Amino acid sequence: MLAAEFGDPYAVLRPVRSGNTFEETIEHLLQAIRVGLFPPGQKLPAERELAGHLGVSRATLREALAELQQAGYLDVRRGRYGGTYVLETRISAAQGIEQLSPLQRSDVLVFRAVLEPAAAELAAQTDRTVSAKEHLQGCLADVQSADHVSYRARDSRFHIAVAELSGSASLITAVTDTRARVNALLDGIPLLPANLEHSNEQHVEITEAILRGDAQQAKALMADHLEGTASLLRGFLQ
């Protein structure tokens, strides 16, 4: 991965691959919003650029954007500062939970428990350029300063940043997909101040381990961090 790509949503947002271009365009845009690639208040890239990256026609993209605007996720503004902006809204928690059976919920958590510690381990093993360090530290600062409205998205962005440092495009995609599914579960439980404080302490420890190149510690800290989240989910959603 080129250093310039760190923090670029296009390094994470996947192109459309199937024949269901309209449906998959909506899926990818919603996933990008859910995991914080396009946070609330941010202006989306120009239509030509976004359509080119997704590999769809501008007509398909416009149709998808219109549907998302009607559904309350986007706001199209006119004038000098016009464009398409992400609104302060989240996908319904009930919608996400209904789509996952108890067995599927367990599968998401098991897969994540394997995937993300490995990503942290690889991130600590790779050559950490200045831009890589700055990207991870910036995402850490963002999640530490997040309020309750923005916390989920910034937390997601931090976890994806860890995967970005691994240098594996496939791993980045897997972490992003899994995080989107986890967020559907997290939206169904309350944000607990004590838990957020503890999570942020763990985020700092994970970051420090990665930046000093301690792969085993980074892996262990990430595994412990994820188990705390899994415990809350099992408790609230059982």
Side-chain angles (χ1 to χ4, degrees), residues 93-94 97 152 183-190 233 236-237:
I97 293 171
R152 296 285 194 229
N183 277 5
L185 299 177
L186 289 173
D187 284 348
I189 69 173
L233 289 170
F236 276 104
L237 300 179

Side-chain angles (χ1 to χ4, degrees), residues 103-117 178 226 230 234:
L103 184 60
Q104 289 172 319
R105 294 177 206 168
S106 175
D107 179 66
V108 170
L109 297 179
V110 168
F111 184 59
R112 189 188 187 208
V114 173
L115 189 69
E116 290 203 42
T178 304
L226 299 184
R234 287 193 294 264

Side-chain angles (χ1 to χ4, degrees), residues 77-95:
R77 304 174 190 173
R78 307 298 178 189
R80 182 178 178 183
Y81 300 103
T84 302
Y85 291 81
V86 179
L87 291 175
E88 295 274 355
T89 187
R90 293 185 301 179
I91 297 174
S92 165
Q95 177 187 6

Side-chain angles (χ1 to χ4, degrees), residues 76-153:
V76 178
R77 304 174 190 173
R78 307 298 178 189
R80 182 178 178 183
Y81 300 103
T84 302
Y85 291 81
V86 179
L87 291 175
E88 295 274 355
T89 187
R90 293 185 301 179
I91 297 174
S92 165
Q95 177 187 6
I97 293 171
E98 287 172 0
Q99 292 174 353
L100 296 178
S101 68
L103 184 60
Q104 289 172 319
R105 294 177 206 168
S106 175
D107 179 66
V108 170
L109 297 179
V110 168
F111 184 59
R112 189 188 187 208
V114 173
L115 189 69
E116 290 203 42
E121 181 181 25
L122 284 172
Q125 291 173 337
T126 58
D127 291 333
R128 290 165 298 285
T129 63
V130 172
S131 66
K133 293 177 182 178
E134 289 178 347
H135 176 51
L136 184 61
Q137 290 169 327
C139 290
L140 173 65
D142 284 344
V143 72
Q144 286 181 308
S145 64
D147 57 21
H148 280 204
V149 174
S150 62
Y151 187 84
R152 296 285 194 229

Side-chain angles (χ1 to χ4, degrees), residues 31-219:
Q31 183 185 74
I33 292 170
R34 177 181 285 283
V35 301
L37 298 182
F38 300 126
Q42 180 171 315
K43 181 180 178 180
L44 293 184
E47 284 185 3
R48 181 186 300 276
E49 180 183 342
L50 188 54
H53 175 79
L54 290 171
V56 300
S57 69
R58 292 180 70 178
T60 296
L61 177 64
R62 285 172 183 164
E63 188 177 3
L65 294 177
E67 290 295 330
L68 293 177
Q69 179 188 13
Q70 185 174 356
Y73 295 103
L74 301 175
D75 179 35
V76 178
R77 304 174 190 173
R78 307 298 178 189
R80 182 178 178 183
Y81 300 103
T84 302
Y85 291 81
V86 179
L87 291 175
E88 295 274 355
T89 187
R90 293 185 301 179
I91 297 174
S92 165
Q95 177 187 6
I97 293 171
E98 287 172 0
Q99 292 174 353
L100 296 178
S101 68
L103 184 60
Q104 289 172 319
R105 294 177 206 168
S106 175
D107 179 66
V108 170
L109 297 179
V110 168
F111 184 59
R112 189 188 187 208
V114 173
L115 189 69
E116 290 203 42
E121 181 181 25
L122 284 172
Q125 291 173 337
T126 58
D127 291 333
R128 290 165 298 285
T129 63
V130 172
S131 66
K133 293 177 182 178
E134 289 178 347
H135 176 51
L136 184 61
Q137 290 169 327
C139 290
L140 173 65
D142 284 344
V143 72
Q144 286 181 308
S145 64
D147 57 21
H148 280 204
V149 174
S150 62
Y151 187 84
R152 296 285 194 229
R154 294 187 182 186
D155 182 33
S156 299
R157 196 65 191 90
F158 171 79
H159 282 265
I160 294 170
V162 171
E164 286 182 89
L165 264 66
S166 75
S168 169
S170 296
L171 187 56
I172 294 168
T173 297
V175 169
T176 302
D177 288 347
T178 304
R179 183 65 205 209
R181 297 172 70 195
V182 169
N183 277 5
L185 299 177
L186 289 173
D187 284 348
I189 69 173
L191 284 166
L192 307 177
N195 171 249
L196 300 189
E197 183 178 351
H198 183 223
S199 291
N200 279 335
E201 291 171 356
Q202 292 177 315
H203 289 152
V204 172
E205 293 173 348
I206 292 166
T207 299
E208 290 175 346
I210 290 173
L211 294 183
R212 68 172 178 265
D214 191 337
Q216 289 305 307
Q217 183 70 354
K219 180 179 181 180

